Amino acid sequence: MTEWLERHVPKMVLAPSFVAVLIFVYGFIIWTGWVSLTRSKLMPKYEIKGFIQYDRLFASPRWDTAMDNLFIFGGLFIGISLILGLFLAILLDQKIRAEGALRTIYLYPMALSMIVTGTAWKWIMNPGLGIEATVRSWGFESFTFNWITDPKMAIYAVVIAAVWQASGFVMALFLAGLRSVDEEIIKAAQVDGIPTWRIYSAIIIPSMAPIFLSAFIVLAHLAIKSFDLVIALTGGGPGYATDLPATYMYAMAFSRGDIGQAASSAMVMMGVVFTIVVPYLYSELRAKHD
């Protein structure tokens, strides 16, 4: 009896979670894919009509704007977060004074929700309350910082808030990587007279390639599913100038009552995620197998 329990109790404990994931994750992915092939509006319909929703999706100017914004936002967000996070990690790696306090300050934004970050930066970048109003009160009447209300610049305001939120997390990843580098290699390079900047660029940073890849995957995932930050900061506006695929999907499902269109956009988003995550998982599994 004891042996039977030892073999089967772990399976019995894990079974409810496995069933829940099977139904509420993979089951609903299949359901969403099915609905995306129908003419569903406010209520789902299950008669397949082909790829009509995808034709509508790719013909929509708003979806084009959302995808353009995703590439702009994602590219800048990932690039700046990686560069800034690496710079901060290298700075703290110099064993400066008050390192613990600085590390806490840099990591603090990650402890906040995206809603809080979006609301705070909405106040900061509000022309009547934030930076513009403050600088003008100092006597610089011609100063303007109205990105949040400018359709051409609003997406860059979202980038600023997102980078502020995520760069501390990237710093923590890189700092852990820097601290894991063999000090004997660094000391040997210093004995050979190699300058510090060359040690970092030629020895330390290349050895952190797996950490760069992991940080890229996490940031790309955050960029693709970004929703709450945009809703809190700009609401997708002005107009739909800061729409992202996630906000487009939400608008179609809950504002327009067009769940077929929302489902098709969700499937495209999932496809984008898969194109990023699957090669990463494949490389990890292949490395472990080798």
Side-chain angles (χ1 to χ4, degrees):
M1 185 65 180
T2 303
E3 293 180 0
W4 186 90
L5 289 174
E6 289 179 351
R7 288 199 309 269
H8 293 90
V9 166
K11 299 177 183 178
M12 295 168 61
V13 171
L14 292 174
S17 300
F18 175 78
V19 173
V21 170
L22 196 64
I23 295 173
F24 295 105
V25 177
Y26 297 102
F28 279 104
I29 288 176
I30 295 172
W31 182 85
T32 301
W34 186 285
V35 170
S36 73
L37 300 174
T38 68
R39 288 183 178 270
S40 299
K41 287 293 186 180
L42 184 61
M43 298 296 292
K45 299 177 182 178
Y46 297 104
E47 183 181 356
I48 292 180
K49 294 294 184 178
F51 296 97
I52 185 171
Q53 296 291 356
Y54 294 93
D55 293 337
R56 290 179 55 209
L57 182 70
F58 296 128
S60 170
R62 183 170 181 177
W63 175 255
D64 290 340
T65 299
M67 291 301 293
D68 290 343
N69 285 340
L70 177 61
F71 286 112
I72 295 171
F73 170 74
L76 292 176
F77 169 59
I78 295 170
I80 296 174
S81 294
L82 288 175
I83 294 171
L84 184 58
L86 179 61
F87 172 78
L88 294 175
I90 292 174
L91 176 66
L92 292 180
D93 192 46
Q94 307 308 308
K95 298 179 175 57
I96 60 177
R97 292 183 179 180
E99 176 188 330
L102 289 174
R103 189 167 58 240
T104 301
I105 292 171
Y106 295 148
L107 277 173
Y108 176 73
M110 199 63 191
L112 301 176
S113 70
M114 286 290 190
I115 290 291
V116 173
T117 297
T119 302
W121 278 95
K122 184 176 182 179
W123 294 337
I124 292 171
M125 290 189 276
N126 188 315
L129 300 173
I131 296 174
E132 180 176 313
T134 301
V135 175
R136 287 190 176 189
S137 68
W138 294 341
F140 301 95
E141 296 293 335
S142 61
F143 178 81
T144 59
F145 186 70
N146 61 346
W147 286 13
I148 200 172
T149 59
D150 185 347
K152 294 183 179 180
M153 301 300 296
I155 190 63
Y156 302 105
V158 179
V159 171
I160 292 173
V163 168
W164 181 83
Q165 173 94 11
S167 57
F169 168 73
V170 179
M171 175 215 69
L173 287 179
F174 286 151
L175 185 60
L178 291 173
R179 295 286 166 84
S180 66
V181 176
D182 189 353
E183 292 189 3
E184 295 300 323
I185 298 176
I186 299 175
K187 290 179 180 178
Q190 291 173 338
V191 169
D192 289 340
I194 300 175
T196 302
W197 70 269
R198 185 61 178 167
I199 294 174
Y200 274 98
S201 63
I203 300 175
I204 298 177
I205 294 178
S207 69
M208 294 169 56
I211 299 176
F212 274 93
L213 181 58
S214 298
F216 173 82
I217 295 296
V218 172
L219 293 174
H221 177 257
L222 290 175
I224 293 169
K225 73 184 186 103
S226 291
F227 169 78
D228 39 6
L229 177 63
V230 177
I231 292 297
L233 183 58
T234 64
Y240 51 82
T242 55
D243 247 0
L244 292 174
T247 59
Y248 177 91
M249 178 184 66
Y250 177 86
M252 292 297 110
F254 298 104
S255 299
R256 301 289 185 88
D258 192 347
I259 63 172
Q261 187 70 179
S264 64
S265 62
M267 296 306 295
V268 172
M269 287 175 59
M270 187 179 70
V272 175
V273 172
F274 278 3
T275 59
I276 296 173
V277 174
V278 170
Y280 169 72
L281 294 177
Y282 174 77
S283 65
E284 288 292 306
L285 292 174
R286 186 176 179 180
K288 291 180 180 178
H289 179 73
D290 294 339

